[in-house]
Amino acid sequence: MRSVRFSITANDQLNELLAQGERHYSAALIDEKRRLVYVAIRRYIVPFPAARVRDVDFGLYLYPVGKTPFVLVYEFDDVEVRIHFVLHKSTDRLALDPNDVQW
């Protein structure tokens, strides 16, 4: 089974997005959204990473996490899945540069 590696960038983005939600929603709801992200990675992305369409603009895969406003941007090989970004679904992806990711 593949391992999962979150970039520092993705980790910071997820925490920032969840912190924004804390201002408007309960802590329990925020915890549920975080759990849904990790469940999506474990149940869908790790076993079936190529099931999603590869974005032609920067060559990474996109996975919209159900029941959340989040999109995971990742790549993979036989050994691991690398989560590059965690974005809000309305983020302009054309402004992303995979070279800016911090690992």
Side-chain angles (χ1 to χ4, degrees):
M1 176 160 302
R2 291 177 183 86
S3 64
V4 177
R5 183 165 44 133
F6 262 81
S7 70
I8 294 168
T9 304
N11 189 59
D12 290 348
Q13 288 171 328
L14 178 60
N15 288 331
E16 183 178 326
L17 288 165
L18 292 169
Q20 290 172 10
E22 286 177 350
R23 294 183 214 125
H24 305 285
Y25 305 104
S26 70
L29 183 64
I30 299 307
D31 288 344
E32 175 64 9
K33 299 306 178 191
R34 181 187 317 273
R35 187 187 73 75
L36 289 170
V37 167
Y38 290 108
V39 166
I41 292 167
R42 185 178 67 247
R43 289 190 186 163
Y44 303 107
I45 294 176
V46 169
F48 311 108
R52 293 297 167 172
V53 176
R54 194 172 193 177
D55 186 287
V56 296
D57 292 320
F58 51 86
L60 300 173
Y61 291 83
L62 305 173
Y63 186 92
V65 180
K67 299 182 183 176
T68 77
F70 308 136
V71 175
L72 303 174
V73 181
Y74 66 96
E75 68 177 346
F76 68 94
D77 56 29
D78 291 338
V79 177
E80 71 180 357
V81 171
R82 291 170 294 282
I83 311 292
H84 288 249
F85 301 104
V86 179
L87 309 173
H88 189 277
K89 65 183 176 184
S90 64
T91 299
D92 177 12
R93 291 190 301 266
L94 294 177
L96 292 179
D97 183 355
N99 296 317
D100 292 341
V101 173
Q102 294 180 2
W103 293 98

